[in-house]
Amino acid sequence: MSAGALVDLLGSDVLEAAPALLGWTMLVDGVGGVIVEVEAYREDDPASHSFGGPRGRNVVMFGPPGHAYVYRSYGIHWCLNLVCEPEGCGAAVLLRALEPTTGLDEMRRRRDLQDARMLCSGPGRLTQALGVAKAHDGLALDAAPFSFSAPTAAVPVDATERIGITKAVERPWRFVSTGTTFASRGSRASARPRA
DNA sequence: CAGTGGATGCTCT
DNA sequence: GAGCATCCACTGT
């Protein structure tokens, strides 16, 4: 199985683990797809929830790697992170977009939306499509309801600046699968490349 | 097409 | 009381 390989990967430096997560397939209760966009956050990073040490909602980020950190964003959305690096480091990878492959009908029902390109093309969107919420905060990733499988071939990666933050914006810690049309930017009808 | 603003809850000042 | 690791509807070109 890939569960052991996943935990090994997440136990390494978050700047290594984040780009290496692209191409992995993630399912939650059998619904999900291929990871195409992520961002790295860590404790020495003013944009990170873990900046300044373990307090309140961020304590899961300082726990062992291979667990889910779920928080509420802007009072409305849930965002899903994978905790990285050895226990106590406060590093995690934010999942920003998936290419939906499994359970499309379930995702369409949850999102009340047909277009596969829009189902998981943003951190709040993918949690809604996969049914991820506060109940998943702190859960281990190598057990139900999570299921991960490794990519079968190397995935080319672009590194860019992170989205939606106001501090440390210059760090190029957003990683996107080269050429994907399922990322949170470039996936909207208005921003799609012309045919 | 781009730009703006509202919804809504938790953390921190 | 402000500020968010956001999304969507609505406006004006």
Side-chain angles (χ1 to χ4, degrees), chain A residues 96-98 117-123 125-126 182-184 187:
Chain A
R96 289 194 55 92
L98 305 181
R117 291 242 153 75
M118 299 296 290
L119 287 177
C120 299
S121 61
R125 292 167 175 171
L126 82 84
F182 293 88
S184 63
S187 59

Side-chain angles (χ1 to χ4, degrees), chain A residues 56-139:
Chain A
R57 65 177 174 182
N58 74 15
V59 293
V60 172
M61 285 185 75
F62 291 87
H67 289 247
Y69 167 50
V70 180
Y71 69 92
R72 197 186 276 284
S73 176
Y74 291 90
I76 299 181
H77 306 285
W78 298 104
C79 291
L80 171 62
N81 296 251
L82 312 186
V83 175
C84 290
E85 302 193 356
E87 183 165 1
C89 291
V93 174
L94 170 68
L95 299 187
R96 289 194 55 92
L98 305 181
E99 176 178 343
T101 58
T102 308
L104 275 283
D105 289 341
E106 183 70 13
M107 288 189 260
R108 289 190 170 110
R109 191 182 60 74
R110 288 169 174 157
R111 296 265 297 129
D112 190 24
L113 189 157
Q114 290 303 306
D115 184 357
R117 291 242 153 75
M118 299 296 290
L119 287 177
C120 299
S121 61
R125 292 167 175 171
L126 82 84
T127 54
Q128 185 184 9
L130 270 56
V132 169
K134 181 71 173 173
H136 297 82
D137 188 34
L139 293 186

Side-chain angles (χ1 to χ4, degrees), chain A residues 41-46 48 50-54 61-62 85 88-92:
Chain A
Y41 289 89
R42 65 186 200 188
E43 191 184 4
D44 68 350
D45 170 9
S48 174
S50 58
F51 186 67
M61 285 185 75
F62 291 87
E85 302 193 356
C89 291

